[in-house]
Amino acid sequence: MSLRQLAAAALQGCAPFQNGMERIEVHEEDQRLVCELVELDTLACGFLRLALATDKLADATIERLRRISEELSRRLTYLLEPIHPIESDAESCTVQMRSNPPQKNEDSSSYYELLVVRGGELSLCRYEKRPGDVRAVAPARVTREVLSRLIDDLSAVAK
């Protein structure tokens, strides 16, 4: 079974909820997926973090991580905002991606942040920033279909 199918089966095993936290963790060959859910219904979910880990990126160069982040930019066109690499750090061998531009309203801005890290992790979170406050993790609300696509895309680029 693919990570997408394993995650869908795990979601089917969860009762819908509005408050609380449910951690979904599935493994397929050399890939491990963790999704920290904070909401779930029959159509959609909210997660604080979606992370894919793989040993195949354990010794990745910064150039490889940059190529992965560019491929993710091309694939993740279905998110609320376009997501692009904004910074790469050769010393820590990490590429940081963010929504560009972020979503803004009169009292806050919010954006996705995706880290591509040597050692083998791709991690997606959504943040919210209000004037005068530090940024805080906010639920990323997506349909189950979008979550499935995210899982497929993260898995594909990490192979």
Side-chain angles (χ1 to χ4, degrees), residues 1 26 28 33 50 53 62-63 81 84 93 106-108 115 118 139:
M1 270 200 206
V26 294
E28 189 266 329
L33 180 86
L50 178 66
I62 192 67
E63 290 78 23
E81 310 95 24
H84 302 287
C93 215
E106 58 271 350
D107 65 343
S108 69
L115 298 176
R118 179 175 59 197

Side-chain angles (χ1 to χ4, degrees), residues 81-82 98-105 109-112 126-127:
E81 310 95 24
R98 280 200 184 155
S99 300
N100 187 14
Q103 185 176 37
K104 293 187 180 209
N105 60 37
S109 62
S110 55
Y111 56 91
Y112 291 104
R126 186 150 181 89
Y127 289 93

Side-chain angles (χ1 to χ4, degrees), residues 9-148:
L11 286 175
Q12 288 297 328
C14 295
F17 65 96
Q18 294 295 318
N19 298 310
M21 170 97 94
E22 184 78 32
R23 182 182 168 103
I24 301 295
E25 190 167 341
V26 294
H27 306 266
E28 189 266 329
E29 292 183 14
D30 65 340
Q31 294 186 340
R32 297 166 305 284
L33 180 86
V34 173
C35 184
E36 297 170 358
L37 295 167
V38 292
E39 301 171 34
L40 181 67
D41 64 32
T42 56
L43 178 64
C45 64
F47 65 86
L48 295 181
R49 183 170 172 267
L50 178 66
L52 178 103
T54 179
D55 295 335
K56 288 191 176 183
L57 299 177
D59 59 353
T61 63
I62 192 67
E63 290 78 23
R64 181 166 182 214
L65 299 181
R66 285 181 185 134
R67 285 191 306 272
I68 289 169
S69 67
E70 290 296 334
E71 179 63 21
L72 285 168
S73 287
R74 285 188 288 279
R75 287 175 175 261
L76 303 183
T77 58
Y78 47 86
L79 294 175
L80 288 173
E81 310 95 24
I83 186 166
H84 302 287
I86 61 161
E87 184 177 352
S88 57
D89 183 342
E91 190 173 308
S92 68
C93 215
T94 301
V95 177
Q96 181 183 41
M97 302 175 69
R98 280 200 184 155
S99 300
N100 187 14
Q103 185 176 37
K104 293 187 180 209
N105 60 37
E106 58 271 350
D107 65 343
S108 69
S109 62
S110 55
Y111 56 91
Y112 291 104
E113 182 174 277
L114 197 156
L115 298 176
V116 182
V117 182
R118 179 175 59 197
E121 185 171 270
L122 296 101
S123 178
L124 178 67
C125 295
R126 186 150 181 89
Y127 289 93
E128 183 175 63
K129 171 81 170 80
R130 296 181 184 278
D133 290 342
V134 297
R135 75 178 187 162
V137 176
R141 292 178 175 90
V142 297
T143 64
R144 287 181 183 229
E145 181 59 31
V146 167
L147 181 62
S148 292

